Amino acid sequence: MPVPPLRGALEYNEASLRWAADDFGHVVQHRPRAVLRPGGGGDVAAIVTFAAEAGLPVAARGAGHSTYGQAQATGGIVIDMAGLSQVGAPRAGLITAQAGAMWGEVLEAALAGGCAPPVLTDYLHTSVGGTLAVGGIGGASHRHGLQVDTVAELEVVTGAGRLATCSAERDWRLFDAVRAGLGQCGIITSATLRLQPAPDRARRYCLWYDDLASYLADQRRLVKEGRVDYLEGQLVPGQRLPGQPRGWCYLLEAAAYYSPPGTPGDGALLDGLGHDRDGEQIEDVSYREFQHRLAPGEAALRASGEWLYPHAWLNVFLPAEATAGFVGEVMAGLTAADLGNSGLGLLYPVRTDRLRAPLSRVPDSDLVWLFALLRTASADDPATGAAMIEANWALYDRALACGGMGYPVNTLPMSAADWRAHFGPRWRQLLAAKQEFDPYGILAPGQGIAHTELANDT
């Protein structure tokens, strides 16, 4: 079967195949047959049509930030979305970006027009299409939901090769199937995103806690009372002060955005909180600088080589009533070595009434906490990486047992049965959408949702 004419190129060289068989996780390597460097959305539609007729699996790859082969396609075609990176100028509170654009590029284009996306990922070198396929979470999600909740319109290539424009008013079933749909029903080629006015400054608060209960209570209070624009938190190992017991501390990180001459009132914002007043840190930075706050850390990890180490990540949403008990038990048995040299723990709340995309799955609770252990394994010790993945499975099962759910970016070999449990009452909706929009079952095989298993589950 001849390959259709393309504006871009279909590559078979060793360097391209090796590149497409790896990702940020560096845990699994699934080698494709070819890599498409598309010259536009039409190339994506043409190659998906070709793959459907040939029975070849297809996966779209943005920044390659997956950790367990989610954007790989064994024996199939990986579409390198990096060439689809154009970002338009903001207009009437909206901005259109191709799926391969990085969120940092979207931010810069929006700021040029005095606007900004309501929700940004912590790390801005993730792609628009990649985060919208899983949901897209950040420190403003307690106010605005996930990134998929800020989308006005999408251009999508379905598994049948149809190039379609969809929104809540137009082709809404496809719109609902691709937002947080794990790439199962379509490949996002561009997105029109809602914007809000951009502030000039960010007042950043770093507040320390030795007690988990006080930390969680203050996070809840800040969210419920709407005191801050950004709210996250970290789990920090070791002694923070001389004479302090070893173990874990909790760092609450918050930010209030503003434009002079106005300024946040520290007294009102911090009133009634139970943090260590002697250790609080407050700084003013530009809004742009705040959003790029991870850049120095990335540069350091790249310089040391640790950026290229294996990453075994686990992210789960916990219901409010179970968070303290679950996290307390986990932290009691966790050591810094369990995270690795550059590993990180996160713990912060999200209001579920802000989440509207039907395939975004969170526990049935007004507030849920994202609990993430972002482990980094040793590059020369495969056994450590394997042990971290086993530990992820154990914690994932414990989270499910207490009513939790996974945020679907994990270093876990998920099966169709695991995904059936994850989607719960939405599983049938995903099945129907998969059969309608990917009738040949070729899209996103790396997620572990096998088409044959789906067909048997009808």
Side-chain angles (χ1 to χ4, degrees), residues 171-199:
D171 210 345
W172 63 268
R173 290 197 307 278
L174 179 59
F175 189 62
D176 284 349
V178 294
R179 291 181 299 148
L182 307 181
Q184 293 301 304
C185 299
I187 296 171
I188 298 171
T189 53
S190 75
T192 299
L193 309 162
R194 297 185 182 90
L195 299 174
Q196 63 182 13

Side-chain angles (χ1 to χ4, degrees), residues 67-454:
T67 63
Y68 202 81
Q70 289 93 336
Q72 297 175 19
T74 305
I77 300 172
V78 170
I79 303 176
D80 176 14
M81 304 298 287
L84 303 183
S85 59
Q86 294 181 358
V87 182
R91 183 177 180 182
L94 299 171
I95 193 168
T96 298
Q98 289 186 308
M102 300 297 113
W103 281 101
E105 296 168 332
V106 176
L107 174 62
E108 291 305 312
L111 287 176
C115 302
V119 181
L120 288 164
T121 49
D122 293 337
Y123 179 56
L124 295 182
H125 199 72
T126 51
S127 69
V128 169
T131 64
L132 295 183
V134 297
I137 192 169
S141 289
H142 71 280
R143 278 187 174 269
H144 303 289
L146 302 181
Q147 289 180 315
V148 289
D149 298 308
T150 71
V151 175
E153 186 176 89
L154 294 170
E155 182 185 84
V156 176
V157 173
T158 70
R162 177 170 69 95
L163 183 62
T165 299
C166 58
S167 67
E169 295 77 31
R170 178 183 180 185
D171 210 345
W172 63 268
R173 290 197 307 278
L174 179 59
F175 189 62
D176 284 349
V178 294
R179 291 181 299 148
L182 307 181
Q184 293 301 304
C185 299
I187 296 171
I188 298 171
T189 53
S190 75
T192 299
L193 309 162
R194 297 185 182 90
L195 299 174
Q196 63 182 13
D200 293 330
R201 309 286 298 172
R203 193 155 176 83
R204 184 181 186 183
Y205 301 84
C206 292
L207 312 178
W208 291 93
Y209 297 76
D210 299 322
D211 174 61
L212 176 60
S214 297
Y215 169 84
L216 295 175
D218 281 359
Q219 285 190 324
R220 177 192 294 273
R221 185 170 188 173
L222 291 173
V223 168
K224 291 291 188 180
E225 297 179 5
R227 295 192 194 184
V228 297
D229 298 292
Y230 165 96
L231 177 64
E232 289 197 9
Q234 297 181 25
L235 315 172
V236 182
Q239 286 176 295
R240 189 167 53 84
L241 297 172
Q244 184 184 60
R246 296 191 65 84
W248 293 91
C249 302
Y250 303 92
L251 171 61
L252 188 156
E253 183 184 19
Y257 303 149
Y258 70 100
S259 295
T263 184
D266 296 342
L269 193 146
L270 299 176
D271 182 50
L273 301 185
H275 62 287
D276 173 13
R277 295 282 174 171
D278 293 331
E280 70 184 29
Q281 300 161 288
I282 304 174
E283 64 173 343
D284 268 286
V285 296
S286 72
Y287 177 76
R288 176 185 278 107
E289 182 182 354
F290 177 73
Q291 298 300 348
H292 286 278
R293 63 194 176 277
L294 296 192
E298 177 188 351
L301 291 174
R302 286 188 182 276
S304 71
E306 289 180 87
W307 188 260
L308 300 178
Y309 285 11
H311 297 92
W313 287 8
L314 178 71
N315 297 258
V316 293
F317 286 116
L318 302 170
E321 63 275 10
T323 298
F326 180 90
V327 175
E329 290 179 8
V330 171
M331 303 311 293
L334 194 74
T335 68
D338 294 325
L339 294 180
N341 283 342
S342 56
L344 180 67
L346 300 175
L347 182 63
Y348 61 90
V350 176
R351 286 180 57 159
T352 58
D353 63 354
R354 301 300 196 258
L355 311 183
R356 295 172 293 278
L359 292 181
S360 298
R361 298 288 293 144
V362 294
D364 184 14
S365 179
D366 291 344
L367 277 183
V368 296
W369 264 261
L370 178 75
F371 178 59
L373 297 181
L374 310 182
R375 309 176 195 260
T376 301
S378 172
D380 55 3
D381 184 9
T384 299
M388 287 180 172
I389 296 174
E390 285 298 316
N392 284 350
W393 266 124
L395 289 182
Y396 183 76
D397 287 341
R398 286 170 61 184
L400 296 186
C402 74
M405 295 180 181
Y407 177 59
V409 295
N410 292 318
T411 314
L412 292 175
M414 299 283 283
S415 68
D418 295 318
W419 287 121
R420 184 187 304 115
H422 169 80
F423 284 105
R426 295 292 184 181
W427 178 247
R428 292 290 175 181
Q429 177 182 342
L430 179 60
L431 284 183
K434 180 78 169 173
Q435 291 161 359
E436 178 179 1
F437 299 117
D438 184 25
Y440 306 101
I442 62 170
L443 295 181
Q447 293 286 3
I449 304 178
H451 185 64
T452 52
E453 293 179 72
L454 291 173

